[in-house]
Amino acid sequence: MGDMPRLDHIRPRSLRSAAALGLLAALAVSCTAADAETTPAGRAAVATSPLPTVPPAQPPRQLTRAEVEHAVGQLDSIVEDAMRRTGVPGVAVGVVYDDKVVYLKGFGLRTAGTKDRVGADTVFQLASVSKPIASTVVAAAVGDKTVGWDDPVLEHSSGFALKDPWVTRHVTYADLFSHRSGLPDHAGDILEDLGYDRAYILDHLRHEPLAPFRAHYAYTNFGLTEAAVATALAAGTSWEKLSADKLYRPLGMDSTSSVFADYEKADNKATLHVKTGGTWQAEHVRDPDAQSPAGGVSSTARDMTKWLRLQLANGTFEGRKVVDAAALEETHVPHMVSDPPHSPAGRTGFYGLGWNVSYDDQGRLKLGHSGGFALGAATNVALLPSEKLGIVVLTNGEPIGVPEAISTTFLDTAQTGGPTVDWLKFLGPLFQQTLQAERSKVDYSKPPASPAPAKANSAYTGTYANKYYGPLTVSTQGDKLTMQLGPKKQRFVLRHYDGETFSYSTTGEMAVGLSGVTFTVGSGGHADKVRVENLDTSGLGTFTRNG
């Protein structure tokens, strides 16, 4: 039977990653193909396996070269089928087996509506597939004794602080790379959307409420970024240079960078696409430099196969040791439960250091990660280390399950001779449901039939303070009430909904459609406070009037 890719953490904001959307899956096992065929899409996160949770006593049968070659021979049709059914503009795929690149090919267009073809050297934004790349870079620094996985981050980043001083003193590189620091899900991502830079965001993590340390998993781009940046500080350099020095240059990944400007100036690059009204359009630009270690790498299928070879060869590339094997191995083992079993027969999902870690039906270690930008990118990498087999899939369309379906179908075919499930059909609704779950429970597009009237605009205008998000200014523009936020003073029009509640259209990577803005009016007839719904996911979204 084939193994189902786990949708990593299906909950509000869960799909968001790298800068916001996109950490879906990375292929962790939670159920068999038979379960996938009978499980309602909305229940996929709690799907279970009838197989024992204890790995078999005998080692699993190793895949034969013929089985892998058969799966490779099916890849053209697997990719073409996914593109035909979804219309996603471009895809690039690389497969490594037994330290050789056995498949490397591009499909479709770099930008919809042009004749620019995707090839093996087309540069894609990787989104959260940047995370296992970042942990590879830190593993190299660990091997050099620059830092240790269990070192407190504070030792090398003196300005670092979380809300609890004890946690601040004790949180380690491994804690932040495995998302077990206690920071809330996607802490800091909205600050990035508002235009704040890396320094501001990392400094303001100290205001985030903390869950129990090392007892709570929550996916955080900026927690991981803090650990990566602290590694670079310990090495006396920048993260962007450390990545190039420790990984990209030694492997000859000449088209790979942790700097957005390098992606921007590449001639052969895939642009981001979203699906609007049934057609794919290149509408957005996504600059992820603020969280570069977590979501800011750009690369090609060719370059990524070099990294896959390094991973599958325990840190060695073409006979040279590039990364210490023990330091790299530490990234491949479970450090935190990311998805507890939901039934006695269910399997546990884990997070390692920048990797989703799971075990398949045969007890094989399986490593994976997905990445995605809501603004138009989706990527996936999956490895079976015991088989020396890995696949990377890069796409230039928003996350709808395409790269996960391609990689899962490929591995399923290698293990069983053909796909046991229509993975694209199975995964697509899960992505859609997860995105819908992030929207407000209130439909602000349909005000009440007889809404309570708003007060005069002057009751709401003024500047409101917030230690986390900075100032919020409410003013009038013509007859419209507007709200300004962030260092770039992004302006949003407030539309009356009911009483003291208005709505506005959210924008950017963390956009969730219409969200509520509710004023609290004091006895003097002026608003004392305002709560912005989508900024309040961890209780920090209330602003207090100045003066």
Side-chain angles (χ1 to χ4, degrees):
M1 291 184 178
D3 297 299
M4 192 193 90
R6 173 177 282 108
L7 298 191
D8 210 37
H9 8 263
I10 290 190
R11 63 173 72 95
R13 299 253 186 241
S14 65
L15 213 76
R16 306 288 176 177
S17 119
L21 183 127
L23 188 265
L24 233 301
L27 308 170
V29 179
S30 73
C31 79
T32 64
D35 299 315
E37 289 171 335
T38 58
T39 303
R43 296 286 307 282
V46 296
T48 59
S49 170
L51 298 177
T53 56
V54 178
Q58 298 298 319
R61 179 188 68 82
Q62 195 157 15
L63 297 179
T64 66
R65 183 168 296 276
E67 288 170 326
V68 174
E69 289 174 350
H70 170 70
V72 168
Q74 299 300 307
L75 259 174
D76 278 12
S77 61
I78 292 170
V79 175
E80 288 164 357
D81 177 67
M83 295 183 72
R84 176 182 57 79
R85 291 164 62 185
T86 64
V88 68
V91 179
V93 181
V95 176
V96 167
Y97 177 59
D98 197 18
D99 202 34
K100 291 182 175 59
V101 179
V102 295
Y103 187 91
L104 186 61
K105 195 167 182 179
F107 299 80
L109 301 174
R110 304 192 324 246
T111 302
T114 72
K115 296 181 179 180
D116 300 331
R117 306 292 300 178
V118 170
D121 297 304
T122 298
V123 180
F124 287 78
Q125 291 185 274
L126 300 187
S128 279
V129 169
S130 303
K131 290 179 176 68
I133 292 176
S135 69
T136 310
V137 175
V138 176
V142 170
D144 292 342
K145 311 298 184 188
T146 303
V147 297
W149 284 119
D150 294 324
D151 289 352
V153 170
L154 189 62
E155 288 184 2
H156 302 292
S157 182
S158 59
F160 169 68
L162 297 179
K163 196 172 183 68
D164 185 321
W166 191 92
V167 176
T168 298
R169 293 193 301 271
H170 290 85
V171 69
T172 66
Y173 292 88
D175 293 327
L176 290 172
F177 262 88
S178 60
H179 308 300
R180 65 185 188 194
S181 67
L183 283 167
D185 192 59
H186 287 83
D189 282 11
I190 295 180
L191 290 177
E192 183 191 19
D193 242 13
L194 291 174
Y196 287 104
D197 63 16
R198 183 189 298 171
Y200 180 97
I201 298 168
L202 295 182
D203 183 63
H204 283 69
L205 292 179
R206 68 189 67 205
H207 298 297
E208 293 274 10
L210 296 177
F213 183 45
R214 293 180 183 160
H216 179 80
Y217 173 85
Y219 186 84
T220 58
N221 290 305
F222 283 98
L224 186 147
T225 294
E226 170 61 44
V229 170
T231 303
L233 286 172
T237 187
S238 69
W239 172 255
E240 292 73 15
K241 188 172 187 302
L242 185 71
S243 300
D245 290 346
K246 293 295 181 185
L247 187 62
Y248 308 152
R249 275 201 285 273
L251 265 58
M253 297 172 70
D254 298 333
S255 299
T256 302
S257 176
S258 293
V259 180
F260 176 69
D262 290 337
Y263 162 80
E264 272 284 82
K265 69 185 181 186
D267 292 329
N268 183 5
K269 68 174 179 287
T271 53
L272 304 184
H273 293 79
V274 292
K275 199 169 187 178
T276 305
T279 61
W280 289 90
Q281 297 177 347
E283 295 183 357
H284 303 290
V285 174
R286 175 72 175 96
D287 179 350
D289 273 352
Q291 51 152 288
S292 175
V297 178
S298 58
S299 188
T300 67
R302 186 185 307 278
D303 278 5
M304 290 294 285
T305 60
K306 297 175 182 179
W307 173 68
L308 291 182
R309 289 174 60 196
L310 178 86
Q311 287 285 334
L312 294 168
N314 304 314
T316 298
F317 182 74
E318 296 186 348
R320 296 176 289 112
K321 186 180 85 168
V322 178
V323 180
D324 177 75
L328 187 63
E329 175 64 20
E330 193 65 27
T331 69
H332 297 169
V333 299
H335 283 258
M336 189 62 190
V337 172
S338 58
D339 189 6
H342 299 276
S343 76
R347 291 203 183 125
T348 301
F350 303 97
Y351 204 88
L353 302 177
W355 284 102
N356 288 288
V357 180
S358 60
Y359 300 89
D360 72 7
D361 288 344
Q362 305 302 314
R364 297 184 186 96
L365 170 67
K366 196 172 188 180
L367 302 173
H369 216 287
S370 283
F373 291 148
L375 300 181
T379 57
N380 181 263
V381 60
L383 306 181
L384 288 177
S386 65
E387 306 296 334
K388 298 182 179 179
L389 179 64
I391 181 172
V392 60
V393 184
L394 310 178
T395 78
N396 60 351
E398 65 180 296
I400 56 172
V402 170
E404 292 81 7
I406 291 170
S407 61
T408 309
T409 302
F410 168 73
L411 292 177
D412 200 4
T413 300
Q415 294 175 87
T416 67
T420 52
V421 168
D422 183 339
W423 292 111
L424 186 62
K425 181 179 179 180
F426 181 76
L427 290 171
L430 297 177
F431 279 75
Q432 186 59 37
Q433 283 186 357
T434 304
L435 288 169
Q436 288 299 119
E438 296 178 358
R439 295 181 174 270
S440 175
K441 300 298 184 286
V442 178
D443 185 355
Y444 289 103
S445 68
K446 299 177 181 177
S450 301
K455 292 182 170 51
N457 284 346
S458 59
Y460 310 115
T461 56
T463 300
Y464 301 78
N466 183 293
K467 63 185 178 182
Y468 185 73
Y469 290 108
L472 179 156
T473 301
V474 178
S475 59
T476 55
Q477 194 172 48
D479 61 347
K480 295 179 179 178
L481 202 61
T482 66
M483 171 179 74
Q484 285 183 321
L485 280 166
K488 299 177 183 176
K489 301 188 183 304
Q490 295 180 43
R491 187 182 293 271
F492 304 93
V493 174
L494 300 181
R495 297 175 178 84
H496 185 245
Y497 175 73
D498 186 25
E500 315 301 347
T501 297
F502 296 75
S503 71
Y504 81 106
S505 296
T506 58
T507 59
E509 187 65 38
M510 298 296 285
V512 291
L514 292 175
S515 190
V517 178
T518 301
F519 293 89
T520 301
V521 178
S523 56
H526 288 84
D528 300 323
K529 296 180 179 179
V530 56
R531 175 185 174 269
V532 183
E533 180 186 19
N534 71 300
L535 304 188
D536 202 35
T537 54
S538 55
L540 297 173
T542 297
F543 297 72
T544 304
R545 182 185 287 275
N546 285 336

